[in-house]
Amino acid sequence: MISVRKAPDLATAGAASGFGARPAGFRGPRGLACGLVLSAAVLGPLGGCSRSGGVPPDDEAMVRARFANRTPQDAAKDYAPPHRDYFPRMDVVGRKAEGATDWPDQLVDLPPTPASPSDERRPAIGLRPKRDVGALPLSVSEAIGRNTWMSWCSGNEGFWDWLANNSFGASDLLKLLDSRNRATVFRDAGIINEPEMMRTGAPEATDFGLWLNVPSDAERRAARAEYLKRVFDRQQAADYDPRTTYPRPEGAGAYGAAATAKTPTLPPDIYGLSSGVIGLRLFPNPKFDGKARAAWDADRYYNDPDYYGNPDLVRPFRVGMACAFCHTSFHPLNPPRDITDPRWENLSGNTGAQYLRIRGVFGNLLNKDSFVYHLLDSQPPGTIDTSLLPSDNINNTNTMNSIFALPQRVALSLKNPKETLTPASAKFPSLWGDAEIDKSPSYLAMVEYLKQLEADLPEHAVAAAELAKSNENPRRVPRILLDGSDSIGGYGALARVYLNIGSYWEQWIRINRLLVGFQPQEPFRIEDCEAHSLYWIATQERVGPMRDYFLKITPPMRLLDVQDDLDRTKPVDEPSLKAKAEREKADFAELLAAERARRIDTTKLEHGRQVFARNCIVCHSSIQPAERHAEMQAFADRGEYWDHDPGRWLADPRYRDWAKEIVKKPAFWLHNYLSTDYRIPIDYVGTNSARAVATNAMTGHMWQDFSSADYQKLPPEGAISFFNPFLGESGGPDQYTPRHKTASGVAAGGGGPGFYRVPTLVSIWAGAPLLHNNSLGLFNNDPSVDGRLLAFDDAIRKLLWPDRRLESSSYNGATPERLKQDHGLIWRTPVETWLTIPARHVPYLAITNVDFLMETLGAHPWLRDRRLLFLPAAFVVLALFGLLRATSLRRRWLWGYIPLFAALGLAFVMAFLLGRVGEVRLGPIPEGTPVNLLANINPEADPEKLRKAAALTTKALAEIRERGLKAEATQKVLHDQVAPALLEVSKCPDLVMDRGHDFPWFKTMTDDDKDALIELLKTF
């Protein structure tokens, strides 16, 4: 049922943010903020689904450029990247020592220098060719790439500030930066503290009472204070106009340019200030003028929900987000001794933010009785729904991509079947622009790599001529996203990243209905970015450097490269361990398993290589015989750009013989990306299908300009199997076909969705939990080498022995009993919850679904001025005067009652527009409700079915509340009345998160086979 709570006093009301722009579906509440109202069945008739139309807006930087009568090309020079490496100690890599043989650890049991007869049978690490670990010197281009990845926000600080005022009270990144929480942010949210920053005993004088981290270096701290004083003093001037540019530092000694600090400082007018959190940057808010400064109260900001929840609040700072926030983490080869105070050499820019908790970031203001709290919590650590901004009405979380072995990945892409690009995406190069071919140092280095590959594995060579033709259309492209949808090349994928985290947000809020959702998507067109976003133009200069950065720093992170005192190739000292178990009264078997997990049993590697050849090579090797590539081309020739049945090759005697021999060759391992990069049908893989059926890259959808035309015409692959917990008394197997609408000429269920791209196994030992959503295996929040290995051991054993998945889970309080009942992990609400719309945001929810109101209030914002409250007061005075003076019933009605009723009606309207009628609460949503039962409601479902689902759900929630039903009774109502109707209108009814990747041929593996394979995987 829906309830409305009484609102605070009208006297403190303020006008909410303008509604002139057309906002839309940010996926904080998964398009559910309106979806649970309860669906398009309720909202559809309100008429809020028209297209945005009109001319796209300019972004902030373009507005400033036009105000100054500058061309975009000239104004973009203000954001030109400095030619300096600001992070020289990051990204250590393992490398062969000078003069040593390049030898793969998969063959460490067969070292190039044979062991002498006196050596033990198990070779110690001393027989391994000498290697070292350290940071690589970067070229200018590579350094610009890293600076961009770590610190460039592309103007998205405006978006995250907008969201803080328009997230229905869910998120505020500025609050996330509270320095008083520096010691606990990793524990609570997986956030990584920026090195060489610190908390002070009191807020800095320049920070307006905010608790912000500051540089530990005194020179940098003083420069920061000087910069902020200069900016904020300017913003207090009577002639201040936010359309003017930020003040630029002057002279060679400007802020950061000549600092003697250990780490030089990026120019703040380009990259913002260090926030104390990796990947978040701090910018002075250009709207924080004299009026905003007078209204600012830091104490109330931290402690008064009515104050910080005001959609009109102007904060002193805006927070920008760089790619590093979701992709930089503690380095597996060199983790910090103190996770609360890391050094730069403890960080890696390519591992993915494996510990980041989305609920702790984008739901940092929510309480545990909020349904959205648990919706965001259902995205396991290290994962995020990449449809976070453009809602596709599926909770489809996936890992924050690690980036490994980019040269090998590029080589592999040159054998992928060509895909035709749309005219918009064909303007992007695949990886190198035409002007860079045969000239760029990174291009020439790639050509040399291809020559080395040809020398080492001539039968698997890739001609450099293919690289020179990589910008043709059709073209061969590497893929990045897990569903293989971003099929236009690495250059376009890197360029798009910034749009996905809020760059050109002025267009985001116009073509998407943020938080509300349930509106047809509109494409984010490249041509609009080129014409109206100066930040997009400035970002293009950085895309090539980011490519160069990753070509340099992404070799495998080998476990045996870890710099510690443990020889991880030596066997466990079992007598000593038994003594320890007796001494500490511990379980010896558990201690032994943990010790074995920390090491590589090299006596099992030969066996492990053959197990890999018999079971894994067919998907997890970029090196394949010519017949595999020919088959993929044959599929592509008929428009089917996916691998139909990779397992069939394991039954081919010639393929088995090839695999048996190839795994013995060092070059096979040294040049292997450990993935075919092919798309695989979701029903073949058998994992949770939510990410695979995502629709954002389809024709007419958000990312249509960033996927190939051939992807957008893919035929449907077929029905998808899943476990339905509401089928019959105790659940059972079920099927569904993709339920999205397709473009004209595309078969139902087709148009792109339905696949997963094969992930690489490079450095898999450091990446657990496993699967595309990190749902499988132990999550221990421990980035140490031993912590990673224990997590990997638990995850890989659950992958290879599927029954073990039902014994334990790190998530959602799932007990073995519940796991068995649900056939795996189904994320359920652990308490009774509500979907709450704070009073100040209720007008936004309603107005953004009524075009007439949105357009009227956008054109006439004065209609929401609280000073207009004098109008109902005037009507009341008029009514009282009329009642006192009227001499007839007719006059009393005309001059008394009618004005009185008008006053009451007008007062209600004004209170509503000012967000003072009261909050809306939808619920109660029973404890134990699968989160995705509600999160995946399909706005494209049959309207009658949506209305039926809405009616049944509303009735059931009312019954639960009115009868005060307890847990067992509420689950029966859910099972019998609500769930069947909601599953019928679900875009993805597949609820089990940790299922699949249990192929038929796995059943032929013995326990010894699996143990040997695990030892081999630890060498990747």
Side-chain angles (χ1 to χ4, degrees):
M1 64 181 295
I2 302 176
S3 64
V4 180
R5 288 184 174 177
K6 185 177 178 181
D9 184 4
L10 282 172
T12 60
S17 302
F19 293 97
R22 180 175 302 278
F26 175 78
R27 281 192 79 140
R30 310 294 319 153
L32 188 67
C34 214
L36 194 58
V37 175
L38 195 159
S39 66
V42 177
L43 296 175
L46 296 178
C49 293
S50 62
R51 312 300 272 179
S52 61
V55 178
D58 290 336
D59 70 9
E60 288 182 329
M62 188 70 80
V63 168
R64 291 193 290 266
R66 298 197 199 282
F67 184 73
N69 293 317
R70 302 174 68 189
T71 66
Q73 291 70 29
D74 178 56
K77 295 176 183 176
D78 289 351
Y79 303 97
H83 292 191
R84 182 170 187 175
D85 188 354
Y86 290 97
F87 306 98
R89 305 197 308 279
M90 272 187 64
D91 298 313
V92 301
V93 300
R95 57 204 173 185
K96 69 183 184 72
E98 186 175 353
T101 303
D102 199 2
W103 194 257
D105 285 348
Q106 293 80 17
L107 297 171
V108 74
D109 57 323
L110 300 172
T113 302
S116 67
S118 61
D119 285 324
E120 298 178 13
R121 179 175 179 273
R122 180 196 300 261
I125 202 167
L127 296 178
R128 179 180 181 240
K130 189 172 179 57
R131 293 174 59 81
D132 59 26
V133 173
L136 298 174
L138 301 189
S139 69
V140 169
S141 179
E142 293 159 354
I144 290 173
R146 178 158 61 191
N147 297 342
T148 299
W149 192 250
M150 295 299 297
S151 302
W152 173 245
C153 300
S154 194
N156 68 25
E157 63 271 14
F159 171 75
W160 296 107
D161 183 63
W162 185 93
L163 189 67
N165 284 347
N166 293 275
S167 65
F168 293 169
S171 176
D172 185 343
L173 294 187
L174 188 60
K175 277 180 169 285
L176 199 67
L177 300 180
D178 192 327
S179 62
R180 293 170 293 184
N181 300 326
R182 187 170 175 84
T184 59
V185 288
F186 179 77
R187 181 198 67 193
D188 297 338
I191 290 170
I192 295 180
N193 287 328
E194 184 175 346
E196 298 171 13
M197 299 288 287
M198 69 177 191
R199 168 190 169 178
T200 56
E204 295 285 284
T206 53
D207 295 351
F208 300 96
L210 290 168
W211 288 87
L212 299 174
N213 294 284
V214 298
S216 54
D217 177 80
E219 182 182 354
R220 290 177 61 210
R221 193 160 62 249
R224 174 187 185 274
E226 180 184 349
Y227 170 76
L228 290 176
K229 183 178 186 305
R230 183 166 67 248
V231 172
F232 286 121
D233 283 353
R234 171 175 167 270
Q235 293 181 188
Q236 305 309 305
D239 61 348
Y240 169 68
D241 190 323
R243 292 174 296 178
T244 57
T245 56
Y246 288 135
R248 299 183 65 80
E250 299 175 0
Y255 176 41
T260 58
K262 201 173 181 184
T263 300
T265 304
L266 295 115
D269 51 323
I270 299 176
Y271 294 102
L273 297 165
S274 295
S275 72
V277 168
I278 289 293
L280 296 182
R281 308 292 296 177
L282 207 60
F283 296 81
N285 190 342
K287 296 180 181 178
F288 195 70
D289 55 16
K291 180 181 177 181
R293 190 169 186 169
W296 175 252
D297 186 325
D299 183 67
R300 292 188 66 196
Y301 174 69
Y302 284 119
N303 301 302
D304 182 354
D306 191 56
Y307 180 82
Y308 63 72
N310 180 2
D312 261 345
L313 181 64
V314 178
R315 297 160 181 78
F317 295 93
R318 304 194 299 188
V319 181
M321 183 180 293
C323 296
F325 187 66
C326 293
H327 294 279
T328 294
S329 191
F330 295 128
H331 204 301
L333 300 184
N334 190 30
R337 295 180 183 274
D338 180 358
I339 57 175
T340 70
D341 189 25
R343 299 173 298 171
W344 286 111
E345 49 265 44
N346 300 135
L347 301 182
S348 163
N350 66 300
T351 56
Q354 299 165 279
Y355 306 97
L356 189 66
R357 256 92 84 211
I358 292 306
R359 189 266 308 151
V361 175
F362 301 126
N364 64 316
L365 302 184
L366 296 172
N367 297 318
K368 289 186 178 180
D369 67 349
S370 165
F371 177 80
V372 177
Y373 176 101
H374 299 286
L375 173 63
L376 295 175
D377 205 38
S378 71
Q379 300 180 20
T383 71
I384 189 172
D385 183 347
T386 50
S387 301
L388 200 61
L389 295 178
S391 174
D392 59 2
N393 299 100
I394 310 173
N395 184 21
N396 57 22
T397 191
N398 54 260
T399 56
M400 299 177 195
N401 276 341
S402 59
I403 304 173
F404 283 115
L406 193 55
Q408 291 85 346
R409 196 170 192 171
V410 172
L412 168 62
S413 74
L414 298 176
K415 290 193 173 185
N416 282 344
K418 293 181 178 180
E419 296 189 32
T420 302
L421 274 58
T422 64
S425 58
K427 292 188 293 185
F428 283 124
S430 178
L431 270 170
W432 284 273
D434 290 339
E436 295 181 292
I437 291 176
D438 290 330
K439 296 177 183 177
S440 163
S442 62
Y443 179 90
L444 296 175
M446 188 67 213
V447 170
E448 290 303 311
Y449 172 76
L450 294 178
K451 291 179 180 178
Q452 186 63 52
L453 174 61
E454 182 178 16
D456 293 346
L457 289 169
E459 67 276 24
H460 299 286
V462 179
E466 284 293 338
L467 188 63
K469 297 186 295 182
S470 60
N471 293 336
E472 294 178 348
N473 189 17
R475 69 174 58 158
R476 307 182 194 276
V477 295
R479 307 180 186 100
I480 307 297
L481 297 182
L482 298 186
D483 61 349
S485 61
D486 57 334
S487 42
I488 66 171
Y491 195 101
L494 286 169
R496 196 204 71 165
V497 166
Y498 282 95
L499 296 178
N500 209 31
I501 58 176
S503 185
Y504 195 18
W505 62 277
E506 297 84 353
Q507 180 73 334
W508 271 120
I509 67 172
R510 178 175 173 270
I511 64 174
N512 285 298
R513 180 158 294 157
L514 279 93
L515 292 178
V516 177
F518 283 81
Q519 170 183 295
Q521 288 189 357
E522 296 184 52
F524 210 121
R525 299 185 186 278
I526 295 171
E527 63 182 6
D528 292 339
C529 298
E530 293 172 336
H532 297 282
S533 176
L534 192 64
Y535 282 119
W536 169 267
I537 296 171
T539 298
Q540 300 316 295
E541 187 179 352
R542 294 166 160 84
V543 175
M546 285 193 287
R547 168 207 64 210
D548 294 348
Y549 166 54
F550 288 119
L551 283 167
K552 185 69 165 283
I553 60 95
T554 56
M557 295 178 180
R558 303 189 188 186
L559 175 57
L560 295 184
D561 280 343
V562 169
Q563 303 293 289
D564 60 18
D565 296 330
L566 177 63
D567 180 352
R568 295 182 185 272
T569 66
K570 284 190 173 180
V572 178
D573 184 350
E574 293 192 27
S576 296
L577 196 64
K578 284 181 180 178
K580 178 181 178 181
E582 293 173 1
R583 188 169 60 252
E584 298 179 359
K585 295 183 170 52
D587 185 283
F588 171 71
E590 290 182 2
L591 290 179
L592 181 60
E595 283 299 314
R596 286 175 173 168
R598 299 172 62 212
R599 292 166 165 79
I600 296 174
D601 187 343
T602 58
T603 65
K604 295 182 178 181
L605 291 184
E606 182 176 1
H607 184 186
R609 291 191 291 271
Q610 290 306 313
V611 176
F612 180 87
R614 293 195 302 268
N615 296 276
C616 311
I617 196 172
V618 72
C619 289
H620 289 288
S621 172
S622 57
I623 295 170
Q624 295 289 339
E627 292 84 355
R628 289 289 312 274
H629 299 294
E631 181 183 64
M632 287 301 299
Q633 186 59 56
F635 292 149
D637 289 343
R638 59 181 194 238
E640 298 173 357
Y641 290 83
W642 70 85
D643 196 352
H644 291 52
D645 182 14
R648 79 170 187 84
W649 289 93
L650 297 175
D652 185 319
R654 290 177 301 171
Y655 186 87
R656 289 203 310 266
D657 290 344
W658 169 85
K660 179 180 178 180
E661 294 304 315
I662 196 74
V663 297
K664 300 176 183 178
K665 296 184 177 182
F668 171 81
W669 300 106
L670 291 173
H671 293 293
N672 211 316
Y673 175 57
L674 297 176
S675 163
T676 60
D677 203 36
Y678 296 156
R679 298 184 184 100
I680 306 291
I682 176 54
D683 209 47
Y684 195 94
V685 182
T687 50
N688 180 271
S689 58
R691 184 66 183 90
V693 296
T695 56
N696 282 348
M698 294 175 60
T699 301
H701 289 242
M702 178 59 57
W703 300 125
Q704 74 161 24
D705 281 6
F706 295 86
S707 63
S708 70
D710 285 324
Y711 170 84
Q712 295 168 11
K713 293 185 293 186
L714 284 176
E717 193 280 326
I720 299 171
S721 303
F722 71 103
F723 174 75
N724 183 348
F726 301 104
L727 190 66
E729 289 298 316
S730 55
D734 205 345
Q735 286 189 328
Y736 79 102
T737 53
R739 297 168 175 179
H740 54 268
K741 288 185 179 180
T742 57
S744 176
V746 178
F755 305 91
Y756 282 125
R757 174 185 58 79
V758 179
T760 180
L761 298 184
V762 173
S763 305
I764 188 176
W765 67 270
L770 301 179
L771 299 184
H772 73 273
N773 54 18
N774 279 6
S775 63
L776 184 62
L778 170 70
F779 174 73
N780 55 17
N781 208 37
D782 182 356
S784 69
V785 176
D786 287 349
R788 289 175 185 274
L789 287 168
L790 290 174
F792 170 71
D793 190 70
D794 182 75
I796 194 63
R797 291 183 184 281
K798 286 175 176 173
L799 185 83
L800 297 175
W801 286 271
D803 289 347
R804 299 188 185 186
R805 305 181 194 191
L806 307 182
E807 295 175 359
S808 65
S809 174
S810 294
Y811 303 124
N812 198 223
T815 62
E817 180 183 13
R818 196 182 106 191
L819 292 169
K820 290 173 184 174
Q821 176 184 322
D822 286 343
H823 287 225
L825 176 65
I826 295 179
W827 205 287
R828 297 175 178 269
T829 54
V831 295
E832 182 179 271
T833 60
W834 298 75
L835 185 67
T836 302
I837 313 298
R840 291 286 188 93
H841 297 272
V842 171
Y844 171 87
L845 176 65
I847 292 167
T848 53
N849 281 279
V850 183
D851 288 343
F852 170 75
L853 279 177
M854 189 159 61
E855 291 163 6
T856 300
L857 290 170
H860 306 287
W862 56 269
L863 289 173
R864 305 186 68 252
D865 191 327
R866 63 183 180 182
R867 289 173 294 185
L868 291 183
L869 287 172
F870 80 88
L871 287 176
F875 273 95
V876 170
V877 171
L878 177 62
L880 292 175
F881 182 77
L883 288 172
L884 291 172
R885 298 296 301 272
T887 58
S888 68
L889 180 61
R890 181 174 178 276
R891 293 195 173 192
R892 284 179 180 170
W893 272 103
L894 185 61
W895 299 105
Y897 296 127
I898 291 178
L900 185 60
F901 289 140
L904 292 174
L906 187 58
F908 178 82
V909 171
M910 293 301 301
F912 174 77
L913 293 177
L914 293 171
R916 293 297 169 171
V917 169
E919 69 178 18
V920 174
R921 301 189 83 210
L922 307 171
I925 301 166
E927 175 185 348
T929 300
V931 166
N932 289 345
L933 185 64
L934 297 172
N936 293 349
I937 295 172
N938 183 9
E940 297 177 339
D942 180 81
E944 188 55 40
K945 291 181 179 179
L946 283 168
R947 291 188 182 93
K948 177 184 176 183
L952 286 173
T953 304
T954 302
K955 177 183 175 183
L957 294 180
E959 178 184 353
I960 290 168
R961 176 157 189 164
E962 291 167 5
R963 294 176 56 190
L965 298 180
K966 302 302 180 185
E968 186 174 338
T970 60
Q971 287 302 309
K972 181 168 177 56
V973 171
L974 182 69
H975 183 282
D976 295 345
Q977 300 180 37
V978 180
L982 289 179
L983 286 177
E984 196 170 4
V985 297
S986 176
K987 202 169 181 181
C988 178
D990 186 359
L991 304 178
V992 179
M993 297 176 65
D994 59 348
R995 69 183 184 92
H997 200 279
D998 181 23
F999 301 105
W1001 58 90
F1002 276 22
K1003 293 176 173 55
T1004 65
M1005 281 195 283
T1006 67
D1007 287 353
D1008 286 344
D1009 289 340
K1010 295 175 182 179
D1011 284 335
L1013 179 61
I1014 291 171
E1015 299 307 311
L1016 180 73
L1017 292 174
K1018 284 187 278 189
T1019 69
F1020 285 4

